[in-house]
Amino acid sequence: MAQERNTEELIIEAAKKIFVKRGLAGARMQDIADEAGINKAMLHYYYRSKDKLFEIVFNEAIGKVLGRLSAVLNQPMPMLEKIPAIVESYIDGVIDAPYLPMFVLNEINQQPEMFIQRLKTMGNFPNILLFLKEIVEAGKQGQIKEVSPIQLLLNILSLCIFPFVARPLAQGIFQLDSVQYNILMEDRKKVITEVIFAWIKV
Amino acid sequence: MAQERNTEELIIEAAKKIFVKRGLAGARMQDIADEAGINKAMLHYYYRSKDKLFEIVFNEAIGKVLGRLSAVLNQPMPMLEKIPAIVESYIDGVIDAPYLPMFVLNEINQQPEMFIQRLKTMGNFPNILLFLKEIVEAGKQGQIKEVSPIQLLLNILSLCIFPFVARPLAQGIFQLDSVQYNILMEDRKKVITEVIFAWIKV
DNA sequence: GTTTAATCTAACCATATGGTTAATTACCAG
DNA sequence: CTGGTAATTAACCATATGGTTAGATTAAAC
């Protein structure tokens, strides 16, 4: 079209689109090639195999998902300010890339071992574990109630992510069109903060 | 093994196992046949095609997931008793079939239109919509705070289901083995009820 | 302009995969 | 036992799919 972009990137963009939409098993190399507007052989020329290509896309995806989290998790703020910030930022992130969480979660479930391996390469997400400690600290200092930090983080993530993972199901059951659902998701920023606060406020 | 069971059922059992594990795109007819210990042609003899077979498995799965919900949702109880009952029953259900939610959600995301169609066939889940009205009623009567019923149901489901959908990811990040994670999930029954109650109690 | 390396393509290959068929076996009513 | 139907299998088929290759095209180096 407009620009004669770097073929390598073009392929990655296309692969991202197709893999995220269909998953590893459902994605076809031909579809990726078509999406990129190039010959199928190019895919192999630049990225040996489907698996190699997938690995790149997947790593980028999981990096994005976890990276987004890490970014907000350790800003130096009092816990009661930080939680709304996390919620806001994370929901905005998911609105931006609504298929990412489903894609990542599904592929991880498909090959948990392979993923565990990868996790070790990426380090143990010190910022996430640090955040858990911060929660404990905040509890001891009486900023918030003393609750299981893992449960708290799980709660926040559940409330933020699930409605996107289950979006078509929820839309179907509640009979909402996309516009209505988006409004619901915007409202959720407030709701989630409310819910969490109600639980942890002293 | 033990009994020479009905081949039809044997196939369905096997198909369930494979489809739920690998998804429609990832499942192989041969694997289903092997799992059932029969010839691949039998699959087509009893259930014309992969899609037909999948449809049966998928319908059963979604029926289970939504059926479980419906079952608890409309028991005549005061709201403050019903919610713990829902949570308990649903988590037990998911512990029992941990892969079901991921499977259902993923396949729905893969073909939302097809699913919306199916929903209409199954009726509009009057019990779910009725439950929403109950929440509104309970709010007006002052049994609970007045909150968006959709948000409330979304919250309950998010908190119950997400930790299972994200299980390998969570286990990886928090570095928990399966036993520890199961304990966490047992604890969650209390936690979720606590969280929801904190939010909606007057 | 010629050479050389990188980029790209059409055609091809081997295998996997969903599906079919013709024949065989198991089963059961008469 | 026998005839006929249902269940089952091995072999096969057509196509899809990931991957390869040999050659063409482009672009840069000299």
Side-chain angles (χ1 to χ4, degrees), chain B residues 136-194:
Chain B
V136 176
E137 269 313 301
K140 279 183 186 156
Q141 291 174 17
Q143 290 175 41
I144 63 172
K145 220 195 297 178
E146 292 192 68
V147 295
S148 155
I150 291 186
Q151 298 282 11
L152 174 52
L153 185 49
L154 263 186
N155 287 345
I156 295 174
L157 294 181
S158 300
L159 293 169
C160 287
I161 299 176
F162 183 79
F164 290 90
V165 171
R167 178 170 184 150
L169 180 61
Q171 271 191 227
I173 290 178
F174 299 138
Q175 301 175 33
L176 303 173
D177 62 38
S178 291
V179 178
Q180 294 172 308
Y181 204 79
N182 283 337
I183 295 173
L184 201 69
M185 292 303 104
E186 269 305 320
D187 287 349
R188 253 189 109 60
K189 292 179 187 171
K190 271 173 301 177
V191 172
I192 294 173
T193 305
E194 249 178 67

Side-chain angles (χ1 to χ4, degrees), chain A residues 72-88 130-131 134 156 197:
Chain A
V72 220
L73 238 44
N74 285 70
Q75 289 175 349
M77 292 182 180
M79 195 50 70
L80 288 182
E81 290 173 36
K82 193 185 280 193
I83 286 175
I86 294 172
V87 170
E88 174 116 1
L130 184 63
F131 178 69
E134 270 181 57
I156 295 174
F197 273 16

